[in-house]
Amino acid sequence: MNNEQIMNLIQEISEVQAAGNYVSFTCNNFGIEVFVMRGEIKKSKEWDRTFFFRKMFSEKRTEEMYQECLEYLNKMKETV
């Protein structure tokens, strides 16, 4: 992922969080992880979706995962 995609992802995550959902975002040298939970976080709830972007993935796989993640985050904003 390039810097523009990462910044776009962070913007989408921020909007999903502002809509009342919980999103965990981790970025490190190994890759990026996004965990999404509808509504407030609770120990009794499980993550609704998880997305993993690893440096070892092909560009095609990373792009597919990126698009899937953005689509899911957009749906989260619309359905809250």
Side-chain angles (χ1 to χ4, degrees):
M1 291 178 63
N2 61 40
N3 289 341
E4 184 178 331
Q5 288 174 313
I6 294 170
M7 294 304 293
N8 188 38
L9 184 60
I10 292 170
Q11 178 63 40
E12 291 296 318
I13 289 169
S14 178
E15 292 174 17
V16 169
Q17 290 173 325
N21 300 295
Y22 189 85
V23 182
S24 173
F25 172 81
T26 304
C27 182
N28 56 43
N29 289 348
F30 187 64
I32 294 172
E33 298 176 350
V34 179
F35 295 80
V36 185
M37 183 180 292
R38 185 173 304 283
E40 293 294 318
I41 190 166
K42 295 180 183 175
K43 285 185 179 182
S44 60
K45 289 173 69 176
E46 296 201 17
W47 296 104
D48 294 320
R49 287 293 304 267
T50 57
F51 299 93
F52 299 99
F53 307 88
R54 300 288 186 237
K55 298 243 184 219
M56 66 184 129
F57 290 170
S58 69
E59 284 185 40
K60 181 181 177 189
R61 183 170 177 199
T62 299
E63 183 63 27
E64 289 169 354
M65 181 66 66
Y66 173 73
Q67 291 303 323
E68 184 180 337
C69 184
L70 287 181
E71 288 172 19
Y72 188 79
L73 292 172
N74 277 316
K75 288 179 186 175
M76 290 286 290
K77 290 188 301 188
E78 296 170 3
T79 58
V80 174

